[in-house]
């Protein structure tokens, strides 16, 4: 605040008669205070080496002169780009001010919230992000896209005919081209309660092994969550339609982690880890898929076993398909890993130095891979005793908290993502990083990583709500898909991808759930 002023309100800067900026204060201010503030600013500007070095034309580009009333109306409009745009252009970056290239003048950044319409860095960044998203949405509507420069359908075919591409390279590049040309369409959801679809919002979707069912966690408007299974058998028809089968099972606890479990048969149950409330401890629940009636009529489910295990609040969970840990699941706790046998109830507890945020069992080797908040990735030898030594079979390290680990099919490589936005492919034999996938955005969120070796792609949804698809072969960014809604930490999309969405007769594509809508990106 300048000397002699009382709660001033700042308006857009305009060039004064000497080329220096003058702020227009609220009416009713004393004349002597206004003059003393003006003298104070002139002295500060003359003493600043930046103002002595720059001319008025370099500092301000105001166009036509405006009255104070016009300047006041201009402040009600939010800028479309941030101060970083001004810094990259020929206009100098003035600390405490923002240059709007559309209005061609500076605006003062107003700290705090005691003004009618403060211009803050957050509002500038939010509007710039939304403008970029809308531009990408328009570009995404174009049918002609190129995953790699110089490669389109005709050029790929021509290079194959000339012998420049072998069958493996041609198949991989052709698939990348199809991924880059996926077209978005909205999926019609049939439900026994259509009114609930208008208010409830998707929190999570998780596809099963055959990609013919989705387990969903839905946030209810009145609070809490409910679960459902979506049958994808009719997704491939010209008008994509799915059927949602809900269950009366309702919880007001936060769901931390979910995975499909194979107890009676493949994907017969869903394993849920929920947080505790007040004096009620957390729990891990095996929810039979048969509770969702007719969710998969092709499979005759026996009455599934519904069981719940009292555990401390878990960050992650994983189901074992390894024969040496049959009917077992693991939960990642705070500084602990808990291994539980569903049939016998036997439990093993492994102490760690950090919270375990991500887990996955290997199938060929008796190993359980874990990613920690400290950035450490380690494997537990399931044949070892928890009280003994040497149960850590392997160690890797990230610079930030690991949010997802995915083991590749031959179990010689592992992919991991962290809260710094780093996605790395590790060689488990040499413990070396083979390649890094650039572009993912994450600062603090718990975000999954999707690896599809059959299609040769890696997929992740960033905290900026963009879905990015990379080539698993060389980490090339193939496509960036914007969210249908403005970016928000409450509206981060949840996705599922497969070459056979809807089962063996299904087609390839991507499913994206955001808010109350489900979208299908199909191959053209």
């Amino acid at each position: 605040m300048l000397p002699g002023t009382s709660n001033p309100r700042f308006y857009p800067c305009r060039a004064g008669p000497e080329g220096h900026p003058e702020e227009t204060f609220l009416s009713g201010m004393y004349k002597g205070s206004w003059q003393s503030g003006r003298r104070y600013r002139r002295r500060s500007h003359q003493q600043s080496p930046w103002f002595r070095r720059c001319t008025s034309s370099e500092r301000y580009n105001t166009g036509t002169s405006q009255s104070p009333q016009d300047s006041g109306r201009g402040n009600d409009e939010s800028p479309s780009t941030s101060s970083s745009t001004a810094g990259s252009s020929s206009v100098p970056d003035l600390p405490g001010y923002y240059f709007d290239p559309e209005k061609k003048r500076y605006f003062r950044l107003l700290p705090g919230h005691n003004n009618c319409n403060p211009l803050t860095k957050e509002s500038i960044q939010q509007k710039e992000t939304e403008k970029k998203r809308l531009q990408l949405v328009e570009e995404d509507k174009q049918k002609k896209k190129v995953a790699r420069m110089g490669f389109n359908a005709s050029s790929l075919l021509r290079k194959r005919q000339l012998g420049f591409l072998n069958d493996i390279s041609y198949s991989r590049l052709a698939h990348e081209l199809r991924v880059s040309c996926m077209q978005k369409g909205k999926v019609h959801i049939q439900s026994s309660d259509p009114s609930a679809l208008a208010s409830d919002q998707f929190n999570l979707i998780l596809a099963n092994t055959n990609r013919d069912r989705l387990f969903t966690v839905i946030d209810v408007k009145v609070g809490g969550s409910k679960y459902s299974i979506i049958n994808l058998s009719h997704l491939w028809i010209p008008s994509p339609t799915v059927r949602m089968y809900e269950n009366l099972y309702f919880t007001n606890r936060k769901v931390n982690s979910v995975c499909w479990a194979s107890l009676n048969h493949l994907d017969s149950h869903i394993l849920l880890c929920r947080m505790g409330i007040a004096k009620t401890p957390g729990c891990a629940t095996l929810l039979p898929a048969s509770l969702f009636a007719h969710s998969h009529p092709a499979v005759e489910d026996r009455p599934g076993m519904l069981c719940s295990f009292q555990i401390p609040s878990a960050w992650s969970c994983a189901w074992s398909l390894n024969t040496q840990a049959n009917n077992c699941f693991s939960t990642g706790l705070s500084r602990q890993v808990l291994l539980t046998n569903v049939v016998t109830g036997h439990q093993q507890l492994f102490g760690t130095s950090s919270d375990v945020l991500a887990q996955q069992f290997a199938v060929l080797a008796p190993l359980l891979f874990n990613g920690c908040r400290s950035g450490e990735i380690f494997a537990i030898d399931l044949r070892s005793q928890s009280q003994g030594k040497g149960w850590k079979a392997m160690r890797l390290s990230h610079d930030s908290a690991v949010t997802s680990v995915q083991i590749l099919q031959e179990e010689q490589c592992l992919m991991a993502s962290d809260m710094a936005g780093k996605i790395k492919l590790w060689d488990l034999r040499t413990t070396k990083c083979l390649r890094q996938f650039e572009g993912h955005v994450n600062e603090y969120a718990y975000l999954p990583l999707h690896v599809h070796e059959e299609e040769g792609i890696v997929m992740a949804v960033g905290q900026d709500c963009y879905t990015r698809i990379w080539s698993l072969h060389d980490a090339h960014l193939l496509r960036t898909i914007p969210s249908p809604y403005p970016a928000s930490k409450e509206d981060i999309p949840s996705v599922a991808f497969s070459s056979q969405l809807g089962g063996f007769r299904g087609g390839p594509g991507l499913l994206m759930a955001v808010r109350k809508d489900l979208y299908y990106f199909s191959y053209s």
Side-chain angles (χ1 to χ4, degrees):
M1 185 180 298
L2 300 181
T5 62
S6 175
N7 192 21
R9 175 182 178 184
F10 292 96
Y11 286 85
C13 295
R14 59 184 178 87
E18 300 179 8
H20 298 299
E22 296 182 357
E23 292 91 349
T24 304
F25 292 83
L26 288 173
S27 60
M29 191 177 295
Y30 291 106
K31 182 177 181 181
S33 301
W34 184 88
Q35 292 177 349
S36 61
R38 183 176 179 182
R39 289 194 298 268
Y40 173 83
R41 289 192 301 278
R42 286 187 175 179
R43 288 195 302 270
S44 62
H45 292 168
Q46 292 172 358
Q47 293 172 1
S48 174
W50 186 90
F51 276 91
R52 292 196 302 266
R53 186 168 59 251
C54 300
T55 62
S56 60
S57 61
E58 292 174 335
R59 293 195 301 269
Y60 302 98
N61 186 5
T62 59
T64 58
S65 60
Q66 297 181 356
S67 63
Q69 290 81 1
D70 295 336
S71 299
R73 286 195 299 269
N75 194 31
D76 294 335
E77 300 177 11
S78 300
S80 58
T81 54
S82 67
S83 58
S84 61
T85 306
S88 61
S89 63
S90 60
V91 181
D93 189 8
L94 180 60
Y97 290 86
Y98 158 75
F99 181 81
D100 192 331
E102 294 180 357
K103 297 180 176 61
K104 296 183 179 180
R105 63 185 179 195
Y106 282 88
F107 290 85
R108 179 162 184 170
L109 295 175
L110 301 179
H113 300 282
N114 57 345
N115 298 278
C116 298
N117 186 22
L119 188 64
T120 62
K121 292 183 179 179
E122 290 77 11
S123 63
I124 294 172
Q125 185 178 6
Q126 183 178 5
K127 187 163 185 180
E128 182 186 69
T129 302
E130 177 62 11
K131 182 178 179 180
K132 291 181 179 179
R133 186 191 71 85
L134 293 176
Q135 290 176 350
L136 192 55
V137 168
E138 291 299 323
E139 296 175 0
D140 206 53
K141 293 179 181 179
Q142 301 176 6
K143 294 185 178 181
K144 293 183 179 180
K145 299 182 180 67
V146 178
R148 299 176 185 267
M149 295 300 296
F151 285 90
N152 52 34
S154 59
S155 65
L156 283 179
L157 183 59
R158 184 63 175 169
K159 290 179 180 180
R160 184 188 185 187
Q161 292 173 347
L162 295 175
F164 296 144
L165 292 176
N166 57 28
D167 292 341
I168 297 177
S169 299
Y170 174 79
S171 177
R172 175 176 56 84
L173 293 173
H175 186 82
E176 292 180 359
L177 185 61
R178 295 188 187 100
V179 169
S180 65
C181 296
M182 291 188 301
Q183 296 296 309
K184 183 180 71 174
K186 195 171 182 179
V187 179
H188 177 63
I189 304 176
Q190 297 177 348
S191 174
S192 58
D193 187 10
S195 60
L197 295 177
S199 57
D200 301 341
Q201 297 191 9
F202 285 103
N203 184 356
L204 171 73
I205 62 173
L206 183 65
N208 64 343
T209 305
N210 293 330
R211 301 298 193 271
D212 56 357
R213 288 185 293 175
L214 291 178
F215 178 76
T216 68
V217 179
I218 299 176
D219 291 336
V220 184
K221 186 177 181 181
V222 296
S225 300
K226 66 179 181 180
Y227 313 125
S228 68
I229 286 183
I230 295 179
N231 192 339
L232 304 178
S233 59
H234 296 288
L235 183 66
W236 53 272
I237 63 177
S239 177
T241 304
V242 296
R243 178 71 181 180
M244 177 182 289
Y245 298 93
E246 299 176 347
N247 187 271
L248 297 179
Y249 199 78
F250 178 85
T251 180
N252 57 354
R253 302 190 192 184
K254 180 182 178 182
V255 179
N256 273 357
S257 185
V258 180
C259 71
W260 286 88
S262 302
L263 187 58
N264 298 340
H265 54 78
L266 184 63
D267 299 334
S268 61
H269 288 69
I270 300 100
L271 178 62
L272 298 166
C273 289
R274 296 175 293 158
M275 291 188 64
I277 299 179
K279 296 182 180 180
T280 305
C283 65
T285 303
L286 271 175
L287 191 64
S290 58
L291 293 179
F292 303 87
H294 307 295
S295 62
H296 199 320
V299 176
E300 296 181 0
D301 277 339
R302 301 191 306 270
M305 178 174 61
L306 173 62
C307 54
S308 184
F309 300 88
Q310 180 176 321
I311 59 172
S313 295
W315 297 102
S316 58
C317 65
W319 182 266
S320 173
L321 294 177
N322 192 292
T323 56
Q324 300 191 42
N326 196 24
N327 297 326
C328 290
F329 70 90
S330 175
T331 48
L333 314 177
S334 296
R335 299 178 180 272
Q336 290 176 331
V337 174
L338 181 62
L339 190 65
T340 305
N341 189 299
V342 176
V343 178
T344 63
H346 176 70
Q347 292 184 333
Q348 281 184 280
L349 194 63
F350 298 87
T352 64
S353 59
S354 180
D355 301 339
V356 180
L357 305 183
Q359 292 183 309
Q360 188 180 10
F361 282 92
V363 178
L364 303 179
L367 297 175
L368 170 62
F369 290 86
N370 305 268
C372 298
R373 190 183 299 275
S374 62
E376 181 188 13
I377 301 173
F378 64 90
I380 296 177
D381 191 337
L382 301 177
R383 299 165 296 185
S384 303
Q385 298 295 324
S386 58
Q387 303 300 329
K389 295 182 179 180
W391 51 265
K392 280 192 178 183
M394 182 273 308
R395 292 186 183 183
L396 302 172
S397 180
H398 275 235
D399 295 331
S400 183
V402 178
T403 60
S404 183
V405 291
Q406 296 289 327
I407 307 171
L408 273 61
Q409 289 179 351
E410 295 181 357
E411 299 185 0
Q412 296 178 355
C413 296
L414 176 141
M415 291 200 66
S417 60
D418 58 31
M419 289 190 181
K422 303 296 183 182
I423 301 177
K424 296 182 179 181
L425 176 63
W426 293 91
D427 190 329
L428 297 178
R429 297 162 296 182
T430 62
T431 65
K432 301 293 184 181
C433 179
L434 298 179
R435 63 183 66 99
Q436 187 166 314
F437 298 76
E438 303 292 342
H440 183 52
V441 177
N442 192 8
E443 295 178 353
Y444 55 82
Y446 184 83
L447 300 175
L449 178 67
H450 309 273
V451 182
H452 304 274
E453 281 192 84
E454 299 84 357
E455 297 83 10
I457 65 169
V458 179
M459 183 179 302
V461 181
Q463 200 171 341
D464 56 355
C465 298
Y466 287 94
T467 302
R468 294 176 175 86
I469 305 175
W470 296 267
S471 170
L472 181 60
H473 175 72
D474 57 2
H476 179 76
L477 181 61
L478 302 176
R479 185 170 179 182
T480 301
I481 303 176
S483 172
Y485 294 97
S488 170
K489 64 180 181 180
E490 292 85 11
D491 298 325
I492 298 179
S494 182
V495 297
F497 181 87
S498 175
S499 59
Q500 292 181 326
L501 276 177
F504 296 107
R505 296 187 304 168
L510 166 71
L511 282 173
M512 176 186 293
V514 55
R515 292 194 182 179
K516 57 182 176 55
D517 298 324
L518 185 64
Y519 296 92
Y520 178 38
F521 292 78
S522 61
Y523 284 13
S524 59

